[in-house]
Amino acid sequence: MEQVDTVVVGAGVAGLAAARLLAGAGARVVVLEARDRVGGRVWTDRTAGHATDLGASWIHGVDGSPVAAAARALGMRTMEFTVGGYQAHSRPVAYFSAAGTRMSAEDVSGFAADVAAVDAALADAVAASRPDDSYRDVTEAALAAQEWEPERAQRVRDYLEHRSEEQYGAWIEDLAAHGLDDDAIEGDEVVFPDGYDALPTSLARDLDIRLGHVVSRVVWSPSGVRVAWAGGEIAARTAVVTVPVGVLRSDALAFSPALPAPVACALSRLEMNAFEKVFLRFPRRFWDRDVYAIRQLGPEGRWWHSWYDLTGLHGTPTLLTFAAGPAARAIAGWDDARVAESVMAQLRRLYGPGIPAPDGVRVTSWGADPFARGSYAYMRVGSSTSDHDALATPIGGVLHLAGEATWTDDPATVPAAMLSGHRAAERILGRAVPIDSLWA
Ligand SMILES: Cc1cc2nc3c(=O)[nH]c(=O)nc-3n(C[C@H](O)[C@H](O)[C@H](O)COP(=O)(O)OP(=O)(O)OC[C@H]3O[C@@H](n4cnc5c(N)ncnc54)[C@H](O)[C@@H]3O)c2cc1C
């Protein structure tokens, strides 16, 4: 059987970061990847003639971000787009009222001020929450403290539901009270006109990556690790397993012996979400030119409430919206035309029956992807923020879990994935390694 120093399972950003740092330190490293490409949930499609990021697209705040530092060093072009955190009013947004009419600037600032007031009270409500409280419980406490009339409170309640769905792909009653603790954005947000995949492509350079290897079993003991796939097996002194929480929780990948209690318990409290992107390309732009996004309030916005204008990325009039939480579960199995029609019904309500039909539609299906099983993990009710780090507790001195869900500070992101891979490599090497050696 082939024997190496470290086997890395998964060639997403976490696995590639770990592999690159270990290989750079002189270790013999093999990366086993189920797909026929690297990048995992960073996936850029170019079939429409320009880059479309089907997975991650934003750096949610460039200040202090290792991904921003890598992007700068790699010369990746960025475009400022500070609306990725479901902010109420960080940048110009065309707001429509529940009746479908355009809100005045004054109304919009009133609404944004209401959201800010609830957010200010929310910090205390979250701090005072009990272990089994949901995000609904704490947001209701923060809303009640305002003593508003029902309609005013309902506008902000809707917003809070949508924030839970758009940020974590989870219905507000399923998300833990602390589930959005890491939502702060430091600095501008940016997206990549030429595609996010330049990052994993660069991290993968010169590594021994074996595509099409679906790992089904990891056997570990204090003396080493054996990793098996349908066609074979490889032995190593250590392993880094970076598959998403959805794969870890499925029976597609078995650990022998089973994952020990601290890791298994943390895993049982994290859950893969339901979150899909819907891209609509139009022959012409029919919406406002000077806004980053369009948003509608009220019951009509239950599913489709926010559209992000991607036209600046590549010049083609394009809106991006999300099916998140219950909406994503409901549309699973719909074809693209049916999804587009459902979205268009709302856009016609706001912009009139004469708007053009889209001439290009793309709907992602991360939920049905066997190597993702959702878009990213969220904290179920009953979990705590420390479950993320607990998931990465070293096992038997030989086995390390890494990936976005194993990083407490800003999980569910590309920086979390990169930092978790860096931590796994440092633990294996037993010493500090500068993270910037990833892009030096
Ligand atoms: C729709 C969407 C939007 C997002 N938006 C953003 C965003 O704007 N900004 C942001 O920072 N983050 C965003 N994210 C999250 C971000 O993409 C992830 O946090 C990050 O890419 C995860 O990296 P990872 O290495 O932990 O996991 P992955 O990228 O999933 O890598 C794990 C790898 O393991 C492989 N694998 C799975 N099972 C097996 C197996 N049995 N054997 C071998 N290999 C296996 C997978 O194919 C994959 O390549 C988004 C994700 C999605 C899906």
Side-chain angles (χ1 to χ4, degrees), residues 164 184 255 272 314 331 432:
S164 163
F255 290 88
M272 226 47 194
H314 35 64
I331 66 155

Side-chain angles (χ1 to χ4, degrees), residues 10 12-14 33-35 40-41 55-58 213 215 375 403-404 412-414:
V13 168
E33 166 56 50
R35 302 178 195 274
R41 284 170 278 166
S57 44
W58 270 274
H213 284 60
V215 171
S375 282
E404 52 90 5
T413 63
V414 178

Side-chain angles (χ1 to χ4, degrees), residues 95-116:
Y95 267 100
F96 289 82
S97 71
T101 54
R102 186 67 182 268
M103 283 163 65
S104 68
E106 202 186 341
D107 279 355
V108 172
S109 14
F111 170 67
D114 283 357
V115 170

Side-chain angles (χ1 to χ4, degrees), residues 75-165:
M76 292 165 67
R77 278 197 310 137
T78 57
M79 184 183 98
E80 186 276 322
F81 206 52
T82 313
V83 283
Y86 206 65
Q87 301 91 332
H89 203 41
S90 56
R91 296 290 187 272
V93 173
Y95 267 100
F96 289 82
S97 71
T101 54
R102 186 67 182 268
M103 283 163 65
S104 68
E106 202 186 341
D107 279 355
V108 172
S109 14
F111 170 67
D114 283 357
V115 170
V118 172
D119 272 342
L122 192 53
D124 287 342
V126 170
S129 65
R130 293 160 304 182
D132 278 343
D133 280 346
S134 68
Y135 195 61
R136 169 73 97 198
D137 294 322
V138 288
T139 53
E140 281 304 311
L143 272 170
Q146 312 304 318
E147 300 181 353
W148 288 331
E149 73 276 12
E151 201 182 318
R152 186 171 175 193
Q154 187 58 39
R155 283 204 318 189
V156 179
R157 181 176 292 112
D158 289 347
Y159 172 86
L160 295 163
E161 288 173 0
H162 295 158
R163 184 163 73 187
S164 163
E165 290 164 353

